Amino acid sequence: MKEKNVFFNPFRLISPKLDSEASRLEQLYESPPANVTCLEEGLLVMLSKLIEMTDLVHKSLVMFDPEKLKKCEQLGTEIHQEEKTLTGDLVCNPTTTGDVLRALVLFPGRLERVGDLLESTVNVARIKARDGIPFSDKAFAELDQLIGLFTEVLQHCRDAIVTVNPTLLGHLAVQQRQVAQMTLDFALAHEDRLLEGLCSPKASSLYLDILDSVKGANEHLTKMVDALLRLDQTHPPVTH
């Protein structure tokens, strides 16, 4: 019989409920934030809402839709509430201590900061529509590529919360480096377009704001993945 490695999952120490969190995700997603009862559930819900926010704001940058942006703001408010609940539980009622608690205690706050940065992009979409500021086809193509990859990072982060598989975490780390490099490359390409007169000066700060927001959001997710990788190195898998 083939041996199976069981990877260390720090979330099981805090809420040892096997995979019931994932099965309750759809139900929890539409529930008030107070209904989230443990860290793993909360992080899964927050990441799912961040994925939806990213999709909605991306679509609204292409074609302005006030209803989509209103939904983004609602999701952002719920993420703020969920962060307060989860961080409060971790700090005030810890079920584990030491390196595990230290590694995880900032996770809700990091996801909240991702939400803050997406809310900044919501503001960009509103200004862009209000002032009739156009983006070039090249800028839209770059944003499609960047936001597409960033969405994959969010989705894989959600998967990693459930499995904490080091192979997935390693793949995530590679994707996160790609996002970081992409934001740098696109900023330099944008500078060239601006100097060549191919980009509206009014659009410049808005476009760079989006790049900065994605860059910052990616950095918070990178710190989460780094923390899980460090825990994996100090807690080797158990072979069954």
Side-chain angles (χ1 to χ4, degrees):
M1 185 175 183
K2 189 174 181 180
E3 293 183 338
K4 179 181 179 182
N5 287 337
V6 178
F7 302 112
F8 173 72
N9 189 331
F11 302 104
R12 298 294 180 245
L13 297 180
I14 293 176
S15 54
K17 299 168 66 177
L18 300 179
D19 288 326
S20 61
E21 294 88 347
S23 66
R24 277 177 16 99
L25 180 58
E26 184 175 349
Q27 173 189 350
L28 286 166
Y29 190 83
E30 300 296 337
S31 301
N35 287 15
V36 175
T37 60
C38 70
L39 179 64
E40 186 172 3
E41 285 182 349
L43 296 178
L44 289 171
V45 170
M46 290 176 79
L47 280 160
S48 293
K49 291 180 178 180
L50 290 170
I51 291 167
E52 183 175 1
M53 284 183 72
T54 301
D55 177 62
L56 291 172
V57 74
H58 183 203
K59 289 176 179 175
S60 292
L61 286 167
V62 177
M63 181 174 293
F64 182 68
D65 186 332
E67 290 303 314
K68 285 185 172 64
L69 295 184
K70 184 177 179 181
K71 177 63 175 179
C72 279
E73 291 172 341
Q74 175 192 332
L75 292 169
T77 298
E78 292 173 3
I79 287 169
H80 288 303
Q81 295 170 343
E82 284 151 0
E83 184 278 328
K84 290 178 177 59
T85 298
L86 293 175
T87 301
D89 287 345
L90 278 170
V91 173
C92 300
N93 303 293
T95 55
T96 187
T97 57
D99 63 334
V100 173
L101 181 60
R102 179 173 292 276
L104 302 183
V105 70
L106 294 180
F107 274 33
R110 294 203 184 285
L111 293 185
E112 182 188 34
R113 288 294 295 123
V114 173
D116 290 340
L117 290 161
L118 289 175
E119 287 177 323
S120 176
T121 305
V122 168
N123 189 49
V124 168
R126 291 193 187 283
I127 294 172
K128 181 178 178 297
R130 183 195 68 196
D131 297 344
I133 299 173
F135 279 6
S136 68
D137 290 343
K138 181 63 174 175
F140 276 126
E142 290 172 349
L143 289 178
D144 286 346
Q145 186 179 355
L146 177 64
I147 295 175
L149 181 57
F150 178 69
T151 300
E152 288 185 24
V153 167
L154 285 169
Q155 292 168 337
H156 291 152
C157 281
R158 185 176 58 185
D159 294 340
I161 296 299
V162 176
T163 66
V164 196
N165 184 314
T167 300
L168 175 58
L169 293 174
H171 176 65
L172 249 174
V174 171
Q175 285 188 312
Q176 289 168 335
R177 289 194 292 271
Q178 291 173 338
V179 170
Q181 185 62 49
M182 204 176 283
T183 58
L184 176 60
D185 292 343
F186 289 169
L188 292 173
H190 165 75
E191 182 179 343
D192 289 339
R193 290 197 298 272
L194 187 62
L195 292 172
E196 294 167 5
L198 302 176
C199 172
S200 163
K202 291 183 178 180
S204 179
S205 62
L206 296 182
Y207 181 77
L208 292 176
D209 191 312
I210 298 170
L211 293 187
D212 286 345
S213 293
V214 174
K215 177 182 176 182
N218 184 62
E219 287 172 352
H220 283 289
L221 297 173
T222 297
K223 289 176 181 177
M224 293 173 63
V225 170
D226 288 346
L228 291 175
L229 284 169
R230 286 195 299 272
L231 282 178
D232 177 69
Q233 291 170 359
T234 56
H235 297 78
V238 177
T239 301
H240 286 274

